[in-house]
Amino acid sequence: MNLKKLIRDVPDFPKQGVIFKDITPLLKNTKGFKSAINNMARKYSAKGGSACGGKDKKIDSIVSMESRGFIFGAALALKLGCGFVPIRKKGKLPYKTIQEEYQLEYGTDVLEIHEDAICKDDNILIVDDVLATGGTAKAVCSLIEKLGGKVAGLCFLIELSFLNPYEKLKGHEIFSLIKY
Amino acid sequence: MNLKKLIRDVPDFPKQGVIFKDITPLLKNTKGFKSAINNMARKYSAKGGSACGGKDKKIDSIVSMESRGFIFGAALALKLGCGFVPIRKKGKLPYKTIQEEYQLEYGTDVLEIHEDAICKDDNILIVDDVLATGGTAKAVCSLIEKLGGKVAGLCFLIELSFLNPYEKLKGHEIFSLIKY
């Protein structure tokens, strides 16, 4: 299935000159959404599941960033049979958290994770909709490692390769279904 | 499986005197998350799927509100084999939208949906993590109906029955896994 056909270009969003990759036509398309999750799932297996050919990473939990990351992370967690851990913007998680600041185009922002969300040596798969500069993903890696987890890999629906995200994420395995 | 045991009470969040129902222990628990989605899925079936005993609603798409709603909505859409449509806060969706204002404790907020997200006469299931006063859910019903869709039902992980949400949602079928 050609998933790229289900991504819509929206010019000048969120600002003049940017072409936004709109994933909502893919989400609305039953076969498209299912195909995306199945393609991601083929790459990984959950702890306790069987490690068949090509499935080399046994995942304890999937970690995703709000909001669109939750869509792919939660569905993939259900498919693989592993736990799901949300990472949110500052002040949104109710329990004790640790924080990580990351760079935006102008200024900084803060991500948080519950301090009991990850056990020591857990194999963690990071899932999000879009990999752009890699700044957010790098902050998420840092949060996971601070809690003693291991980043088993990073998985994205879309990768904006022209923004060179691999630079910031050296040493990590990255898997993207669609590349621009 | 007793899902209530996987919900954590966090006192004084988001403000003094409120006991927040924290769903993250359930999400992290592989069996807990899977059980929640399976229990929701038993109640509904997707269009094209077979309508077995107890499954009386054939769903075209699931509609969920950001952010936590995405977790249950997307996983359930994958499980049922239907489309997924996100509803977001103002200014977050990239394409043409319609809006609905809704009441908060102090002031109002605005929800948006893409104007091409729903086809006429689509059977829509609304999925969210928590049903509280019903204000948000009512706004979502209104958005769906404005686009010509039919609200086939509303499905929640948690219902705060003491806040009397049924009042605002008269005429709609509501299904909640956990009630307080």
Side-chain angles (χ1 to χ4, degrees), chain B residues 33-165:
Chain B
F33 182 47
K34 198 174 178 177
S35 168
I37 299 298
N38 284 346
N39 287 346
M40 289 176 173
R42 261 182 224 118
K43 181 86 182 156
Y44 310 95
S45 69
K47 217 114 176 184
S50 63
C52 312
K55 296 189 173 184
D56 49 358
K57 298 284 179 192
K58 293 194 176 182
I59 308 301
D60 293 290
S61 286
I62 285 175
V63 166
S64 289
M65 304 75 114
E66 72 172 322
S67 293
R68 289 189 305 265
F70 288 4
I71 297 170
F72 295 93
L76 186 57
L78 183 77
K79 178 84 187 170
L80 290 180
C82 66
F84 177 76
V85 173
I87 284 189
R88 301 200 66 180
K89 298 284 177 67
K90 194 176 179 175
K92 296 282 188 179
L93 287 169
Y95 192 63
K96 293 171 215 163
T97 61
I98 63 163
Q99 303 189 337
E100 185 75 22
E101 203 176 80
Y102 66 107
Q103 212 66 36
L104 297 174
E105 197 178 358
Y106 303 103
T108 59
D109 211 341
V110 170
L111 290 178
E112 294 186 337
I113 189 170
H114 275 162
E115 62 172 33
D116 66 350
I118 288 170
C119 305
K120 198 174 174 310
D121 294 330
D122 270 1
N123 270 323
I124 304 296
L125 177 64
I126 297 169
V127 177
D128 206 354
D129 64 330
V130 177
L131 175 61
T133 66
T136 311
K138 192 186 169 192
V140 171
C141 289
S142 170
L143 285 171
I144 290 165
E145 287 162 356
K146 275 184 189 172
L147 292 177
K150 293 176 183 169
V151 177
L154 297 98
C155 177
F156 302 92
L157 177 72
I158 294 172
E159 174 186 313
L160 305 179
S161 311
F162 57 90
L163 292 176
N164 194 23

Side-chain angles (χ1 to χ4, degrees), chain A residues 23-171:
Chain A
I23 62 168
T24 61
L26 182 144
L27 297 175
K28 194 191 164 193
N29 186 298
T30 305
K31 285 182 187 169
F33 183 47
K34 198 172 179 178
S35 168
I37 299 299
N38 285 346
N39 286 346
M40 290 176 172
R42 264 183 222 118
K43 180 85 181 159
Y44 311 94
S45 68
K47 217 114 175 183
S50 63
C52 312
K55 296 189 173 183
D56 49 357
K57 297 284 179 191
K58 293 194 176 181
I59 307 301
D60 293 290
S61 286
I62 284 175
V63 167
S64 289
M65 304 74 115
E66 72 171 321
S67 294
R68 289 188 305 265
F70 287 4
I71 298 170
F72 295 93
L76 187 57
L78 183 76
K79 178 83 186 171
L80 290 181
C82 65
F84 178 75
V85 173
I87 283 189
R88 302 202 63 181
K89 298 285 176 68
K90 194 176 178 174
K92 296 282 189 178
L93 287 169
Y95 193 63
K96 293 173 214 162
T97 60
I98 63 163
Q99 303 190 337
E100 185 76 21
E101 203 176 80
Y102 66 106
Q103 211 67 35
L104 298 174
E105 199 177 357
Y106 303 103
T108 59
D109 212 340
V110 170
L111 290 177
E112 294 186 338
I113 190 170
H114 275 161
E115 61 173 33
D116 66 350
I118 288 170
C119 305
K120 199 175 173 309
D121 294 330
D122 270 2
N123 270 323
I124 304 297
L125 177 63
I126 297 169
V127 177
D128 207 354
D129 64 330
V130 177
L131 174 61
T133 66
T136 311
K138 192 187 167 191
V140 172
C141 289
S142 171
L143 285 171
I144 290 165
E145 287 163 356
K146 275 184 188 171
L147 292 177
K150 292 175 182 170
V151 177
L154 298 98
C155 177
F156 302 91
L157 177 71
I158 293 172
E159 174 186 311
L160 305 179
S161 311
F162 58 90
L163 292 176
N164 195 23
Y166 284 70
E167 181 71 25
K168 280 202 179 79
L169 298 169
K170 268 179 192 159

